[in-house]
Amino acid sequence: AERWIVNAGVRRDVFSSFGSSVNPRLGLIYLARPDTTVKLLSGSAFRPPNAYETFYAAAGFGSVKV
């Protein structure tokens, strides 16, 4: 187990117009040799929509008129 490292974390973002978002992160790191490191990373993320994505409305695309 000296060559393995487990790294875990959580990121919380608060948006004024979208509330909050909690995103987990997990990493498994293997120290194969002194000059070689292998990482397996997993996580999720949230990006709030920009103004164009929030207010764009087009007929026929199931959008809501603003």
Side-chain angles (χ1 to χ4, degrees):
E2 294 178 7
R3 296 178 146 201
W4 291 92
I5 300 171
V6 175
N7 188 335
V10 176
R11 177 181 172 139
R12 180 175 182 257
D13 293 310
V14 178
F15 303 96
S16 60
S17 57
F18 293 98
S20 65
S21 172
V22 177
N23 302 298
R25 308 266 194 259
L26 181 64
L28 181 62
I29 304 164
Y30 177 62
L31 307 171
R33 299 188 310 212
D35 61 341
T36 305
T37 302
V38 179
K39 296 181 182 181
L40 178 63
L41 305 173
S42 178
S44 66
F46 172 77
R47 179 187 63 83
N50 60 31
Y52 179 78
E53 294 166 338
T54 301
F55 300 112
Y56 179 76
F61 290 99
S63 59
V64 177
K65 292 184 179 182
V66 178

